[in-house]
Amino acid sequence: MNLKKVLVLAGVALVLFLLITQPEQSASAVQQVLGWLRQGAESIITFIRSLFAVGTPIGQ
């Protein structure tokens, strides 16, 4: 069997095990990760907006 396939199956089995045995903790972990992703996306948007912010023209 391919090592990659074995690792993927083991990962899926672990996720299913955690979802079944600890659903509340799993949901909390997913919410935390989504919060981190949201915060990161908001930071990137803020950076891009600051980078291309329309200010007063130079020389005026």
Side-chain angles (χ1 to χ4, degrees):
M1 216 178 194
N2 189 349
L3 179 61
K4 183 179 177 182
K5 190 174 185 179
V6 170
L7 291 176
V8 168
L9 288 174
V12 169
L14 178 62
V15 168
L16 287 174
F17 173 77
L18 291 174
L19 286 174
I20 292 168
T21 60
Q22 300 176 3
E24 291 181 16
Q25 292 87 348
S26 298
S28 176
V30 169
Q31 287 177 339
Q32 187 174 12
V33 168
L34 290 176
W36 291 338
L37 291 173
R38 178 180 178 214
Q39 184 178 8
E42 288 175 352
S43 296
I44 291 170
I45 290 169
T46 300
F47 170 75
I48 298 296
R49 284 184 179 164
S50 298
L51 190 61
F52 296 108
V54 177
T56 57
I58 297 174
Q60 287 189 5

